């Protein structure tokens, strides 16, 4: 019996060695996997309080020195969005975030799919020489947007929170009188109290840039933007002055929404940062050179600065760049070419550029998005990535699936663990992710999950969890996207 048991053990050992060799052959590796350290901080271990605000309302409204031609950037103090969420637990906030994320991905996927069956949109919505920087706030507790900035609207400026969204073009804000408005943090903007508000004529070229312009009895232009999650905004299309800590940007075309319904709770409106003709970067292209960048803070670390910068100084000198790809059917999204992913220093053989190809009909492709949290990859690519990571993290104790995550680990009782490295390979740019950008806490008990997910949609989306800590550069003038590691410093 002992002889049989020994033979069986030897056979199992040989089988294990074969499987291990097969894994390294599958990934193309001829050396041990590369690992990096992950400091184990459960969800909500470092909560932010209002006393940690890095700037005050009074400070926001103080005018700064005029923007110079030689140094077109203004530095802004930043805060984490969680300081505005006082009565929710970390787990409740995280679960709400995942719910919003599902809506967001569905909306973007529907928008991309619909584009394949119609002409290129003029503004990328469903219906609808200097520089400055402004604060970006992480929006766990609000609406369909994830990051917010504080800016002034009108003359004199009334300061409000606005969603930053690279997946939308039209700029809009809730306006009085409200036919139906959702709850927001600040008072609703009243255009009658602004000396710079101006209606747009139905025959104006600006009005005609909308996909579905309307006209009221006063011959003023009307707009409507409907989002894939069922949210919508409707009202008067107009021009207004926006103020970013003393930098005034006049005559910005924006929607003055009198009927706004959906998942926008908290923010006063939306600052569209897409590639379309009515987006904020496009409208201000002559002034800011069609260049902007942002740095999104790690939601669990309030000490890290975060910003959005417009103008030449938005382009980081340390960034690696990949070309922007144009979708002839949809001009809103920022498409880029993902050619592969490495786990532990070895290319995952099952992930090839063909899985992410944008075809001539406008289907497929990869976009980078500020409003999506969890990166979505086409199903085949995700399964290959997941399996490679599971193999490399075999020493970690597995935990049950959590929400959309099917690869989770129980790290309770640990302070630091080693995890396989993950590198995203874009054409011309290799982006090495910090461990915190792909293994994230999902509860207060030490459960961490692999922060990627598969999608049956042809559209893959690079989400903001993977972007955290990078300065992401949108150099539209040069048709490129850049990533600067540790760019938030």
């Amino acid at each position: 019996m002992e002889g049989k048991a020994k033979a069986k053990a030897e056979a199992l050992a040989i089988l294990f060695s074969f499987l291990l060799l097969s894994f390294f052959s599958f990934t193309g590796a001829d050396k041990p996997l590369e690992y990096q350290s992950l400091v184990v901080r459960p969800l909500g271990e470092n909560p932010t309080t209002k006393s940690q605000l890095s700037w005050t309302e009074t400070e926001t409204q103080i005018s700064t020195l005029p923007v110079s031609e030689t140094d077109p950037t203004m530095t802004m103090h930043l805060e984490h969005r969680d300081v505005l969420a006082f009565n929710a637990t970390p787990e409740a906030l995280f679960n709400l975030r995942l719910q919003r994320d599902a809506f967001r991905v569905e909306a973007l996927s529907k928008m991309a799919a619909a584009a394949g069956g119609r002409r290129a949109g003029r503004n990328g919505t469903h219906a609808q020489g200097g520089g400055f920087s402004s604060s970006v706030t992480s929006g766990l507790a609000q609406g369909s947007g994830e990051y917010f900035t504080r800016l002034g609207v009108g003359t004199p400026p009334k300061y409000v929170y606005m969603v930053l969204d690279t997946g939308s073009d039209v700029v809009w804000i809730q306006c009085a009188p409200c036919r139906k408005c959702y709850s927001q943090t600040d008072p609703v903007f009243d255009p009658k109290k602004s000396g710079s508000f101006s209606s747009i004529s139905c025959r104006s070229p600006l009005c005609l840039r909308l996909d579905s312009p309307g006209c009221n009895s006063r011959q003023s232009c009307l707009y409507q933007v409907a989002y894939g999650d069922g949210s919508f905004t409707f009202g008067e299309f107009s021009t207004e002055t926006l103020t970013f800590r003393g930098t005034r940007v006049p005559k910005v075309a924006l929607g003055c929404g009198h009927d706004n319904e959906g998942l926008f709770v908290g923010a006063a409106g939306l600052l569209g940062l897409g590639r379309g003709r009515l987006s904020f970067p496009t409208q201000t292209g002559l002034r800011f050179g069609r260049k902007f960048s942002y740095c999104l803070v790690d939601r669990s670390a309030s000490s890290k600065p975060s910003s959005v910068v417009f103008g030449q100084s938005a382009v980081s000198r340390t960034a690696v760049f990949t070309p922007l790809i144009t979708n002839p059917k949809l001009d809103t999204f920022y498409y880029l070419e993902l050619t592969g992913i490495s786990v532990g220093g070895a290319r995952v053989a099952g992930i090839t550029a063909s899985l992410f190809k944008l075809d001539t009909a406008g289907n497929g492709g990869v976009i980078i998005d500020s409003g999506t949290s969890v990166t979505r990859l086409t199903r085949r690519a995700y399964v290959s990535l997941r399996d490679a990571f599971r193999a490399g993290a075999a020493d970690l104790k597995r935990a049950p699936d959590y929400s959309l995550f099917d690869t989770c680990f129980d790290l309770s009782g640990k302070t630091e663990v080693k995890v396989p490295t993950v590198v995203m390979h874009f054409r011309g740019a290799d982006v090495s992710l910090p461990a915190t950008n792909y293994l994230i806490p999902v509860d207060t008990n030490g459960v961490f999950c692999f922060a990627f997910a598969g999608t049956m949609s042809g559209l893959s989306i690079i989400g903001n969890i993977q972007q955290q800590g990078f300065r992401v550069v949108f150099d539209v003038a040069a048709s490129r996207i850049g990533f600067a590691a540790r760019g938030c410093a």
Side-chain angles (χ1 to χ4, degrees):
M1 291 293 293
E2 290 182 359
K4 289 184 178 180
K6 185 177 180 181
K8 184 176 181 181
E10 289 176 348
L12 288 174
I14 293 172
L15 177 61
F16 177 78
S17 299
F18 174 78
L19 291 174
L20 193 62
L21 287 171
S22 296
F23 168 72
F24 282 109
S25 298
F26 173 74
T27 56
D30 55 2
K31 60 182 180 179
L33 292 183
E34 296 175 0
Y35 289 82
Q36 62 180 328
S37 295
L38 171 72
V39 177
V40 178
R41 293 193 182 97
L43 196 65
E45 188 173 274
N46 299 315
T48 309
T49 64
K50 192 164 186 175
S51 63
Q52 292 173 295
L53 277 169
S54 56
W55 50 267
T56 64
E57 184 70 12
T58 301
E59 187 181 7
T60 305
Q61 298 181 27
I62 295 175
S63 295
T64 58
L65 294 174
V67 177
S68 72
E69 293 299 323
T70 57
D71 185 14
T73 301
M74 295 179 353
T75 301
M76 302 292 290
H77 300 290
L78 307 179
E79 61 175 293
H80 194 281
R81 179 64 190 88
D82 286 356
V83 298
L84 300 181
F86 299 113
N87 300 317
T89 65
E91 288 177 341
L93 291 175
F94 184 73
N95 288 328
L96 286 172
R97 173 185 175 190
L98 294 182
Q99 291 174 21
R100 291 193 307 273
D101 207 44
F103 280 122
R104 172 78 175 187
V105 170
E106 182 180 7
L108 297 182
S109 297
K110 285 181 178 178
M111 188 172 172
R118 62 174 172 84
R119 61 182 174 78
R122 288 170 297 186
N123 61 21
T125 65
H126 293 280
Q128 43 171 6
F132 67 90
S133 61
S134 182
S135 63
V136 177
T137 304
S138 166
L140 272 178
Q142 291 189 2
S144 58
E146 292 302 301
Y147 287 88
F148 298 75
T149 190
R150 191 113 177 121
L151 56 84
V153 181
T155 306
K158 301 297 181 183
Y159 283 82
V160 295
Y161 285 106
M162 297 277 279
V163 177
L164 271 71
D165 187 8
T166 57
S168 302
D169 290 329
V170 173
V171 181
W172 62 267
I173 185 174
Q174 290 203 113
C175 286
C178 276
R179 176 179 164 189
K180 188 166 185 179
C181 286
Y182 56 83
S183 175
Q184 66 177 58
T185 304
D186 301 288
V188 174
F189 175 70
D190 187 349
K192 292 181 179 180
K193 297 180 180 180
S194 171
S196 51
F197 181 86
S198 179
S199 298
I200 293 174
S201 165
C202 296
R203 297 181 177 85
S204 164
L206 268 178
C207 185
L208 297 177
R209 289 184 188 178
L210 291 164
D211 277 346
S212 301
C215 199
N216 63 16
S217 59
R218 300 188 304 276
Q219 297 301 300
S220 295
C221 182
L222 300 178
Y223 81 99
Q224 177 174 327
V225 180
Y227 299 91
D229 60 7
S231 304
F232 69 87
T233 175
F234 170 80
E236 188 176 2
F237 205 50
S238 55
T239 61
E240 183 55 288
T241 295
L242 301 183
T243 302
F244 300 78
R245 287 203 76 199
T247 299
R248 298 176 70 251
V249 183
K251 297 183 178 179
V252 176
L254 57 78
C256 191
H258 300 290
D259 187 355
N260 317 286
E261 302 177 38
L263 300 176
F264 303 120
V265 178
L270 184 144
L271 191 71
L273 299 182
R275 294 177 75 182
R277 291 172 60 184
L278 285 174
S279 75
F280 183 75
T282 302
Q283 288 193 57
T284 58
L286 289 178
R287 180 168 184 175
F288 302 120
R290 293 193 298 158
K291 304 173 193 290
F292 73 95
S293 66
Y294 58 60
C295 186
L296 307 180
V297 299
D298 180 343
R299 295 156 189 255
S300 66
S302 62
S303 62
K304 291 187 178 181
S306 176
S307 64
V308 57
V309 181
F310 294 84
Q312 182 58 42
S313 293
V315 181
S316 171
R317 295 179 181 177
T318 62
V320 292
F321 287 93
T322 185
L324 269 172
I325 297 174
T326 299
N327 183 344
K329 303 295 184 180
L330 182 62
D331 58 7
T332 299
F333 297 160
Y334 292 93
Y335 284 87
L336 57 173
E337 186 178 347
L338 181 63
T339 61
I341 301 178
S342 290
V343 172
R347 287 263 191 162
V348 180
I351 301 180
T352 61
S354 61
L355 296 179
F356 308 112
K357 185 176 178 58
L358 176 67
D359 65 27
T360 55
N363 300 310
V366 180
I367 65 171
I368 186 167
D369 181 47
S370 64
T372 299
S373 291
V374 179
T375 289
R376 302 310 205 275
L377 301 174
T378 56
R379 185 67 188 171
R380 283 179 56 192
Y382 170 70
V383 169
S384 296
L385 173 64
R386 176 200 66 191
D387 291 349
F389 187 82
R390 284 179 177 177
D395 289 342
L396 299 180
K397 181 181 178 182
R398 288 291 299 272
D401 296 354
Y402 187 95
S403 184
L404 77 166
F405 302 122
D406 63 6
T407 301
C408 299
F409 304 91
D410 180 359
L411 304 184
S412 58
K414 298 182 181 298
T415 58
E416 184 175 305
V417 296
K418 295 292 186 180
V419 296
T421 58
V422 175
V423 179
M424 305 189 76
H425 302 288
F426 299 97
R427 181 151 66 96
D430 294 333
V431 179
S432 300
L433 301 180
T436 51
N437 286 30
Y438 56 86
L439 201 60
I440 63 170
V442 298
D443 65 16
T444 56
N445 300 318
V447 174
F448 282 65
C449 294
F450 190 52
F452 287 83
T455 176
M456 299 307 293
S457 163
L459 181 70
S460 294
I461 306 171
I462 308 301
N464 57 52
I465 290 175
Q466 281 65 43
Q467 299 174 51
Q468 286 177 168
F470 290 90
R471 178 153 297 280
V472 182
V473 180
F474 295 77
D475 187 354
V476 183
S479 193
R480 61 181 185 167
I481 295 283
F483 300 89
R486 296 177 293 279
C488 297

